[in-house]
Amino acid sequence: MDIEKLERQFAAYFNAKSEIVVRAPGRVNLIGEHTDYNDGFVLPIAIDRAIWIAIRPRADDQVRLFSLDLKTGSAFQLHSLVRESGWIEYPKGVANELMKAGYPLRGFDGIMAGDVPRGAGLSSSAAVELATARAFAAVSGFEWDARKMAEIAQKAEHEWVGVRCGIMDQMASAACKEGYALFLDCRSLEAQHIPLPGSVSVVVLDTSTRRGLGKTAYNLRRSQCEKAAQWFGVKKLRDVSVEMFEEKSRKERGLNKEALKRAWHVVTENARVLEAVEAMRNEDMEQLGGLLNASHNSLQNDFEVTNEALDVMVECAREQEGCYGARMTGAGFGGCAVALVRREKVQEFEKAVERAYRSRLGLEAGIYICKASEGAGVVQK
Ligand code: GLA
């Protein structure tokens, strides 16, 4: 991001100088999909694509924001929030939850810009939420607590926006460290930073298909998981081991086949994340790649959240030399896949996948080689 340009645009729009620039990244999840709302494990990295806001504190309780990407401005008053629609609901929802949690907020003017593709499964909305929270912390002078802010942002999605998402995206955007993946226990929110081996590139493969009915399907998957947990007699599917699953499903009936398949994905995926962390610690890329492949197969056949484009993209990636493994990432139903590729092969990989994907589906792939970046913060100039 050209920060000076952002500041110039602030000056042109608000006729004053901005004082602070904040940034919050999108994320790509390496493994652990649809496990977060089951109190399970995830392993995302923050990517080097983000949302930036240049801001200037105000003396009153107004928040005025202009989105350079959408070319629209919007405003709200902190003490009389009204639910409307559109992108401004994310900042508004965050303001609402911060105030409910007792943070005294000040208003600000802001210009927002970013390069996280929207609706692609790279958490552009979590990036907007965390950038807003970071902006409020900066202008209102409260201490930044990554975990608390992630929880606030998640609540904003639940209560204000109406999506019952897990905590992964917000924690990744808030708490990741440059060069590391975030191994997160979504029950305790205990986080460990696992170094990303230098020999490997993380490549995001955008299918250029978008979610569509994703929100409904997402909430449906979530309730199927809850039903399954009830049947197993546990709080969340996190509490079911592979052995428990096999034993109970062999002996008893009563849960429909579909919910059983969903649960099997979650139970095996949690086990895969733990193995993936070990593989990463041992820099065993073959093993890590194999786990990514198994994760995709499980999301395709048992959790059923892929689409044709994701399946084809993953096949195109796996065919290439130097690819350790590939899988869909994020909620699914369209959006992006992620591949782990041997660093010196990554340029060839990019071209070959582009070509293969175009020839099989007639669609253009968007390919980004990612760096594991730092979570939300104030941009130091
Ligand atoms: C979306 C949600 C996350 C998580 C993933 C699937 O990104 O926001 O909380 O559930 O889907 O792993």
Side-chain angles (χ1 to χ4, degrees):
M1 174 62 50
D2 185 341
I3 301 293
E4 281 170 19
K5 193 169 157 204
L6 192 65
E7 289 172 323
R8 279 199 302 279
Q9 273 152 331
F10 184 99
Y13 190 78
F14 289 111
N15 239 328
K17 265 184 120 176
S18 60
E19 291 180 13
I20 307 160
V21 179
V22 295
R23 166 192 174 276
R27 63 100 189 92
V28 61
N29 188 20
L30 299 181
I31 194 162
E33 219 62 85
H34 290 275
T35 46
D36 60 353
Y37 53 82
N38 290 299
D39 277 4
F41 305 106
V42 293
L43 190 64
I45 63 169
I47 56 176
D48 47 344
R49 286 178 168 250
I51 300 287
W52 285 261
I53 318 179
I55 52 181
R56 179 181 174 86
R58 291 178 58 92
D60 60 14
D61 81 334
Q62 257 212 74
V63 175
R64 298 192 296 175
L65 272 168
F66 185 81
S67 159
L68 279 181
D69 305 322
L70 301 170
K71 300 196 174 39
T72 56
S74 201
F76 56 87
Q77 263 172 318
L78 290 169
H79 295 101
S80 51
L81 294 177
V82 183
R83 194 181 272 102
E84 290 155 310
S85 62
W87 62 277
I88 196 69
E89 299 312 299
Y90 292 95
K92 219 188 265 176
V94 169
N96 185 47
E97 288 304 328
L98 281 169
M99 288 189 298
K100 271 169 55 189
Y103 291 91
L105 299 189
R106 259 179 89 171
F108 64 88
D109 289 337
I111 291 265
M112 184 187 287
D115 55 6
V116 189
R118 274 186 296 277
L122 300 177
S123 293
S124 58
S125 28
V128 170
E129 290 153 16
L130 270 302
T132 309
R134 197 65 196 83
F136 275 121
V139 299
S140 315
F142 61 82
E143 205 184 314
W144 179 254
D145 178 326
R147 177 179 158 171
K148 272 194 197 142
M149 291 303 122
E151 289 178 303
I152 294 268
Q154 183 199 24
K155 270 203 196 120
E157 287 247 4
H158 286 199
E159 311 279 324
W160 197 270
V161 184
V163 178
R164 292 180 68 215
C165 64
I167 190 73
M168 166 171 69
D169 307 346
Q170 289 77 12
M171 274 298 284
S173 184
C176 276
K177 291 261 156 277
E178 189 178 335
Y180 292 81
L182 184 79
F183 170 37
L184 181 68
D185 177 334
C186 298
R187 171 166 282 168
S188 64
L189 293 193
E190 197 183 299
Q192 288 177 48
H193 300 282
I194 314 290
L196 204 62
S199 58
V200 77
S201 292
V202 177
V203 185
V204 169
L205 307 163
D206 189 342
T207 61
S208 74
T209 62
R210 292 294 178 256
R211 260 182 248 153
L213 288 176
K215 190 171 152 183
T216 330
Y218 183 89
N219 287 342
L220 175 65
R221 291 300 181 286
R222 197 174 163 144
S223 56
Q224 288 173 323
C225 289
E226 283 161 4
K227 233 185 241 141
Q230 253 173 27
W231 186 69
F232 280 101
V234 295
K235 192 164 162 251
K236 291 283 170 104
L237 285 178
R238 144 76 177 273
D239 302 307
V240 179
S241 65
V242 170
E243 295 71 34
M244 268 170 79
F245 183 100
E246 284 174 334
E247 163 119 22
K248 182 155 167 101
S249 58
R250 200 173 45 238
K251 285 195 194 139
E252 291 175 42
R253 298 273 168 271
L255 186 66
N256 69 63
K257 224 173 134 198
E258 202 173 74
L260 211 51
K261 270 167 64 173
R262 308 295 186 242
W264 179 242
H265 162 73
V266 175
V267 169
T268 55
E269 184 78 350
N270 274 329
R272 279 187 289 270
V273 178
L274 300 181
E275 284 178 55
V277 170
E278 277 321 295
M280 208 140 123
R281 284 201 168 113
N282 300 330
E283 302 206 10
D284 185 342
M285 288 304 119
E286 305 289 341
Q287 204 206 342
L288 186 58
L291 290 161
L292 261 70
N293 290 342
S295 167
H296 183 88
N297 299 347
S298 176
L299 288 154
Q300 179 180 359
N301 302 318
D302 292 332
F303 214 67
E304 297 181 280
V305 287
T306 66
N307 65 356
E308 190 198 6
L310 281 166
D311 296 335
V312 169
M313 183 65 93
V314 161
E315 280 166 25
C316 293
R318 287 178 188 168
E319 280 161 13
Q320 310 308 322
E321 210 197 318
C323 177
Y324 294 111
R327 57 180 286 276
M328 60 148 270
T329 187
F333 316 105
C336 291
V338 59
L340 293 179
V341 181
R342 200 184 313 147
R343 190 168 285 271
E344 62 270 19
K345 287 281 176 194
V346 77
Q347 311 296 342
E348 285 163 57
F349 173 85
E350 190 175 345
K351 285 198 199 91
V353 171
E354 233 161 37
R355 219 178 303 125
Y357 185 68
R358 188 184 304 123
S359 89
R360 286 190 55 183
L361 286 186
L363 290 172
E364 293 304 316
I367 303 193
Y368 323 115
I369 300 162
C370 294
K371 280 204 206 97
S373 83
E374 187 76 15
V378 173
V379 177
Q380 305 299 334
K381 288 179 279 176

